[in-house]
Amino acid sequence: MMNTEEKERLQKFMAGAGVASRRRSEEMIAGGRVRVNGRVVREPGFKVGGADRVEVDGLAVRRRNKFDYIMLHKPVGVISSARDDRGRKTVLRLLSRDWEERGLYPVGRLDFDTSGLIVLTNDGAMTYKLTHPRFGVEKTYLAWTPGQAAAGQLRRLAAGVRLEDGVTAPARARTVRLEDNFSLIEITIREGRNRQVRRMLAAVGLETLRLKRIAFGPLALERRLAPGDYRPLRSGEIEALRRATEGRGR
Ligand code: URA
């Protein structure tokens, strides 16, 4: 992670600021299009820091935010940790090289067989707040279960069910579709225990056929974001995430 005291290579700085890929930035540097503090620099490894003014074709390049935040639609069959001992594909492998190099990691976990919204960042303090149960960030899931879920089962989910690691906190649960052979349940929880939704559903006698996270705190999974796709969060969304953790944690 870069702080204002650290220097980084000019092409990395340019790529990070969204000017172009690193390779393309190197070409721009070699082509004499880049100035640092008013002087043309043609050395690709030239180091720049917080106080340096970088211009490309005479236009100032703004230093990027200190941290990066991405919304990613995790597909089924991809692991949400940064590494996997068993060599399975991780969410980080879905990112392009420039993003991959920024030290991003997933905020919390989704199971291998769960799809949906996951945030990636390199902001450790924000990650802590978004994942610690004390801050109670809401996560909303859609669960497909066979047969027809009964109102009593939904009430039990909402009230809290006994799992082997304790009773779950109050949640919200409702049926969004009821067909002859399956039900679609929307459930919102504030905790983040391992396989929590699947275990909650099993505790009330419901099997999970498919599970998808559709919201994380103030962020909703965008419909046009296909599985495997991602996009940077907008500044308003980053602010909303920050606000979601404010005033809690005591
Ligand atoms: N609950 C689960 O059971 N699985 C997930 O991936 C997330 C929440």
Side-chain angles (χ1 to χ4, degrees):
M1 187 80 32
M2 195 182 79
N3 63 39
T4 48
E5 303 310 314
E6 255 179 294
K7 293 209 163 199
E8 63 181 342
R9 292 158 75 89
L10 188 49
Q11 66 270 39
K12 186 172 180 204
F13 167 80
M14 287 168 62
V19 173
S21 69
R22 271 193 206 189
R23 178 170 304 183
R24 183 81 193 103
S25 298
E26 281 171 10
E27 289 167 7
M28 295 166 98
I29 296 164
R33 294 170 59 187
V34 183
R35 284 173 189 266
V36 178
N37 304 325
R39 188 172 71 81
V40 173
V41 170
R42 289 177 192 267
E43 275 169 71
F46 192 88
K47 296 269 178 90
V48 290
D52 293 316
R53 179 179 161 80
V54 177
E55 289 166 297
V56 176
D57 297 335
L59 294 175
V61 176
R62 271 206 316 148
R63 194 160 283 279
R64 67 177 163 87
N65 272 341
K66 194 164 171 209
F67 298 114
D68 304 293
Y69 309 85
I70 280 180
M71 165 192 296
L72 182 139
H73 186 164
K74 178 195 166 305
V76 168
V78 171
I79 187 145
S80 66
S81 49
R83 270 173 298 278
D84 183 44
D85 302 342
R86 290 153 61 187
R88 290 173 296 181
K89 188 169 181 176
T90 67
V91 282
L92 297 185
R93 295 273 310 281
L94 297 168
L95 303 180
S96 69
R97 178 97 188 278
D98 282 336
W99 284 110
E100 220 180 324
E101 287 167 350
R102 292 189 194 179
L104 298 167
Y105 47 81
V107 176
R109 296 272 168 97
L110 285 179
D111 301 332
F112 187 71
D113 44 357
T114 301
S115 64
L117 170 52
I118 190 156
V119 170
L120 306 179
T121 187
N122 41 23
D123 180 345
M126 175 88 111
T127 301
Y128 173 77
K129 290 184 179 176
L130 290 173
T131 50
H132 198 291
R134 203 164 76 180
F135 293 90
V137 173
E138 289 192 342
K139 277 92 46 181
T140 301
Y141 298 85
L142 283 181
W144 283 254
T145 75
Q148 296 206 338
Q153 288 171 305
L154 294 175
R155 275 198 299 274
R156 286 177 61 202
L157 287 172
V161 293
R162 183 170 297 283
L163 301 178
E164 59 197 13
D165 49 359
V167 177
T168 59
R172 289 198 303 277
R174 68 185 183 107
T175 311
V176 287
R177 242 176 106 184
L178 208 53
E179 300 286 338
D180 289 343
N181 55 350
F182 80 94
S183 314
L184 187 55
I185 295 170
E186 185 185 278
I187 177 162
T188 301
I189 59 172
R190 286 181 178 271
E191 302 165 286
R193 306 190 209 170
N194 191 31
R195 295 182 80 80
Q196 180 165 344
V197 174
R198 291 171 198 276
R199 290 192 292 135
M200 287 173 75
L201 290 169
V204 302
L206 293 169
E207 185 194 343
T208 305
L209 296 174
R210 196 180 144 201
L211 188 64
K212 179 177 184 181
R213 181 153 73 193
I214 56 167
F216 181 81
L219 306 177
L221 181 64
E222 221 165 68
R223 270 171 188 266
R224 62 186 161 186
L225 209 60
D229 283 354
Y230 58 91
R231 68 156 173 86
L233 293 186
R234 302 181 189 103
S235 50
E237 292 172 327
I238 299 167
E239 208 31 59
L241 269 185
R242 200 161 278 134
R243 275 201 309 272
T245 61
E246 267 168 15
R248 295 180 194 272
R250 277 172 285 277

